[in-house]
Amino acid sequence: MEISALTRSVVKSNHAVIAPDGYINSKVPGWNNCTVNVIINEQMGARLCQTIITAQANCTLSGTTKQSQIFFYIIEGAATAVVNTTSQLLTKGQFVYVPVEHTYAFTDVVEGTQILTFHKVFEPLAGVENPPVLFGDAATVPAPEYLGDPALRLQVLLPDDLRFDMAVNIFTYDSGGHLPMVETHIMEHGLLYLQGQGVYMLDHQWYPIKKGDSIWMAPYCQQWFTAMGKEPAVYIYYKNVNRFPTVV
Ligand code: UGY
Ligand code: MN
C-alpha cells in the first residue's frame, strides 16, 4: 500500500527537490485548458521561474513577455508556436526562446503535450543588442564530452554570447558517470529530469532522483550527481550567465 504521508519532495532555503506526486495546479491567465505546475519561483527565494504545462483538449497558450524572457521546451507531444509572425510546429525536444516584449501563442496543442518553461527577468547590457527569437531542436545540437569524460555529454541550447543572460543546457550521464567535482558556484539552477535516475548531492544531503523530478539549486548550493540504472540519466537545466555577478 502506498502511504500518502510520504514524499521524496523537499523544500529547503537553498535547494528543493520537487517530485510530481505533490503537484497542485495553478491557473495562469492566457494559458487555457491545461494544468500548470509552478515548480520554482521567487516565492521560494529563486530568481527564476520554472513551470510544467500539461495540455488538455483545446489547449491554447498566449501572452506577451514583459520584463521576463521565456524559454519553452516540448517534453512530450506537439504544438504550433507562433512568435511575432514566425510559426513553427514543435515536437519532443524542440524549443523556442521568446525575448522580452514579444507576443507568443501556442495552438494545435495535442492533448497530453507537456511543455517546460524557464522564465528570467532580462538584464540588458549596454552596447549589446537584445537576444533574438530563437527556434531550435535538441536533436541537432552537438553533444561534446564534458571536461574530457566520455561518460558525460553537455548540449548548450542557446547561443553562448553576451546577448543572452540565461543558458539552457542538456546534460547526459552514462550509468556510473558523475560530475568530476562538487560544484560550488554563484550561478543558480532550475532543472528537470528527462530520463533515467541517479543520486544528487545538494548542500551535503543525498537525494535519489528520477525522470519527472525537478530541482532548484540556489547560488552556492553545493552540488554533485552520479547516474545509476540501465539507461543514461538526462536532465535539462537553466543557469544565469554573462552578467556582472554582484552590485557591490
Ligand atoms: O553548468 C553547471 O553548472 C552544471 N555542471 N551543474 C550541474 O549540472 N549541477
Ligand atoms: Mn552547476
Side-chain angles (χ1 to χ4, degrees), residues 147-185:
L147 297 181
D149 184 344
L152 311 179
R153 269 99 49 209
L154 187 72
Q155 294 175 278
V156 176
L157 303 188
L158 291 175
D160 183 14
D161 67 56
L162 284 179
R163 292 172 302 169
F164 290 85
D165 68 352
M166 63 184 274
V168 179
N169 303 336
I170 295 181
F171 214 150
T172 299
Y173 296 68
D174 290 337
S175 192
H178 56 83
L179 279 175
M181 69 241 176
V182 174
E183 294 184 7
T184 306
H185 58 65

Side-chain angles (χ1 to χ4, degrees), residues 146 171 173 179 183 185 189 200 217 223 235 237 239:
Y146 183 67
F171 214 150
Y173 296 68
L179 279 175
E183 294 184 7
H185 58 65
H189 293 315
Y200 233 105
M217 295 175 231
Q223 53 202 255
Y235 57 77
Y237 69 101
K239 182 175 184 173

